[in-house]
Each structure stands twice: as structure tokens, then as C-alpha cells.
Amino acid sequence: MSKNKLLGAGAAVLATEAERPRRVPRAADSQRDPALPQQTDSELKADQADIQPKAGTLLPAAYEVSTLDGMDEAAQITALEDAYRSADNTEIRSFQLAKMRGSVQKGELLKLLLGRGAPEHRGLKVGDYAESLGIKRQYVYELIQSAEDIRALAPLIEATQTPLVAAQAAVLAPIYREDPDAAALVLEAAKETGKLSAASLKQAATDLGQRTILPDVSSAQTQQPRALPAAATAPRLDTLYKEFAPKAVARHVQENPAALLERVTHIEDEMNKLLRRVEAARRAAQKALNT
């Protein structure tokens, strides 16, 4: 083919291409089904927000600062202080409620486990079995007793909407068992002090002339369970007399003789330690007198 013919063919091809319609760029929504309703950008963003993790309900709402509008400085400070005290009371109540429920559940479950011979089934003593459950061995029977005390106080707790922890229930339960009305008065008097605790309950009971069946409560013991341990490190003689009274022993024999035997064995060990210390003290005193 001559040079002129090649040039002519090339020109014809270019003319043909120029006459073809240009391809329209694909639209961003070209993959949408035209038969389905379409969403606007704002609607799409709203839907995407709906599927995002929402804020939980565990955290409280932020304090509404707008509620202070129109107040002078002194009134604003008073309102904020009142809100703080309310938050503090809420925290204490929530803590006591959780502690109370936990004490009841653990104590009742532990009693069921011991009653069914769970320690023997696992080849353990009661104290070792308790530790396998994450319970300090000296609190085995305290937990059980605490659950019983709190259950006994259930009508008073519900009527006053006042959760009680183990140490508080230990003070109030003996009074309630003898006189529910007197226990209600003691509870109310303790609450009026502004700080509900085992110590304030005991003081209120004393002021109202009520007899409390409980060892002395110190500030370090206000959150500790009652002294009915399976492995107490220093059992008090006055509490032991009550604990091993004939009626108490008969009750323990019926409820859990294996646990009673464990307790007696431990007390014997502790008494032997005490006797050795007493004898050492006697020798020291005699030596001092003879010199």
C-alpha cells in the first residue's frame, strides 16, 4: 500500500473515533438497585450511627451545670455540696447493698456445701476447703452466721430500705429476734447519727437500754464478720463459754457435727498454746520475785 493510501486510512479511523459517543464515567451509586428506595447522605449517617456501640448505662449522667443558672455564687456552692453528699450516700448504699447480697449468697451456699459433706468429698478439712473457694478459713462459720442474721432481719431491711452488712446485722439481729420494734428504734437512732455502722448501732442500743449479744466492736472490726471462726487465732474465753454452752453444742451437733469437731480440735490447739504462754509468764514472774 502506498504512503498516501496509509495516510488516508489513518485519517478515516481518527474521524470514526471522533464521531463515537464518549463513555460516561460510572456514578458513585451505580451499584445501587434502582428498584430499592434510595437513602440520602444524612439518612445514611444516621443509620451508621445506630449501629455504633452506644454509651452504656453503668456510668451516671454528667452533672447538669445548667441547673445552676440564675443562682448566686453561695447558692451554687450549696447546690453542688448537696449533690456531692447525695453521690456519697449513693456510693455507700450501693456498696452496702452489694456486700449484703454477697454475704447472704455466700453464707447460704457455704452452709449447703458443708451440710452435704463437700470438704470430705474433696478430701479436705473444712478450713482447707474454704480456702479452695477463696474464703479465709477463719471466716467459714462467720459467713454462715452472717447470712442467717441478715435473713432474720429481712422484714426490717425491706421496711426501712436499709441494706445492712454482716457486722451491722450481727449487732441488730439478736435484738430483732427478741423485739422487732426495739430493733427498728435502734436502727433509726443509728441512722440519725449520720453514719450507719456496727459501732453506731451498738451505741444506739446501749442508749436505748437494749442488750447486745456481741463482743466489743472497734473501728478496725466494723466491717469484719462476727467472731464465730473455724480457725480463730485468739478465741476469747467469754465468747467460748457461750459458744460451748450445752444448748449451743446440742444445736451444732444437729446441724453439722463434723464442723463442730473441727472447731473443738482447733480450740484445743489454741488452748494448749495459751497454756504454754501462761506457764512462761508464771516462770518469768517467779524469777523476778526471787531475784
Side-chain angles (χ1 to χ4, degrees), residues 22-40:
R22 296 182 179 275
R23 178 176 295 179
V24 178
R26 180 173 294 181
D29 61 350
S30 60
Q31 299 300 320
R32 292 181 178 178
D33 187 342
L36 298 176
Q38 305 302 313
Q39 288 180 307
T40 64

Side-chain angles (χ1 to χ4, degrees), residues 37-290:
Q38 305 302 313
Q39 288 180 307
T40 64
D41 289 341
S42 60
E43 291 173 337
L44 183 60
K45 290 179 180 178
D47 283 352
Q48 290 174 341
D50 285 339
I51 63 174
Q52 295 298 319
K54 296 182 182 297
T57 58
L58 295 180
L59 291 177
Y63 182 80
E64 289 289 346
V65 183
S66 60
T67 59
L68 303 176
D69 293 346
M71 298 182 184
D72 59 25
E73 184 176 354
Q76 290 184 14
I77 291 174
T78 299
L80 289 171
E81 288 175 343
D82 289 343
Y84 178 87
R85 293 188 184 96
S86 177
D88 190 42
N89 289 334
T90 299
E91 179 184 20
I92 293 173
R93 178 181 173 82
S94 298
F95 171 77
Q96 292 215 151
L97 183 59
K99 287 283 289 182
M100 180 183 72
R101 289 177 172 173
S103 294
V104 171
Q105 291 175 331
K106 291 192 293 185
E108 291 178 344
L109 289 171
L110 187 56
K111 184 175 182 179
L112 291 172
L113 285 166
L114 295 183
R116 284 161 174 74
E120 294 82 359
H121 179 75
R122 299 297 184 191
L124 299 171
K125 293 184 177 180
V126 173
D128 295 329
Y129 177 71
E131 289 188 346
S132 74
L133 296 177
I135 305 169
K136 291 183 179 180
R137 63 172 61 211
Q138 63 264 35
Y139 293 160
V140 174
Y141 298 104
E142 294 176 14
L143 282 171
I144 295 174
Q145 184 63 50
S146 295
E148 293 176 353
D149 287 344
I150 294 171
R151 282 294 185 195
L153 291 166
L156 182 59
I157 291 171
E158 295 295 340
T160 61
Q161 289 295 288
T162 305
L164 298 171
V165 297
Q168 297 164 358
V171 178
L172 209 53
I175 302 172
Y176 185 85
R177 290 186 177 103
E178 294 184 4
D179 189 342
D181 292 336
L185 292 174
V186 170
L187 176 59
E188 185 62 29
K191 290 169 67 175
E192 288 177 355
T193 65
K195 184 177 181 181
L196 180 61
S197 65
S200 66
L201 283 166
K202 192 168 191 254
Q203 184 60 51
T206 301
D207 294 342
L208 294 171
Q210 295 297 320
R211 183 171 60 91
T212 55
I213 308 172
L214 185 74
D216 291 338
V217 179
S218 65
S219 58
Q221 294 173 319
T222 55
Q223 294 298 329
Q224 297 299 325
R226 194 196 316 206
L228 288 173
T233 56
R236 289 178 46 172
L237 292 179
D238 56 345
T239 60
L240 290 179
Y241 277 115
K242 295 179 181 179
E243 183 178 348
F244 292 106
K247 289 184 179 180
V249 171
R251 185 179 70 253
H252 291 314
V253 168
Q254 290 182 350
E255 293 177 352
N256 195 332
L260 177 61
L261 182 60
E262 173 100 2
R263 173 69 167 151
V264 170
T265 301
H266 172 73
I267 293 298
E268 288 177 341
D269 292 341
E270 292 298 323
M271 293 297 289
N272 288 333
K273 293 178 184 177
L274 178 60
L275 287 174
R276 287 195 293 271
R277 291 191 177 187
V278 169
E279 185 59 30
R282 184 195 303 278
R283 290 196 298 269
Q286 290 176 341
K287 182 178 179 180
L289 291 173
N290 294 333

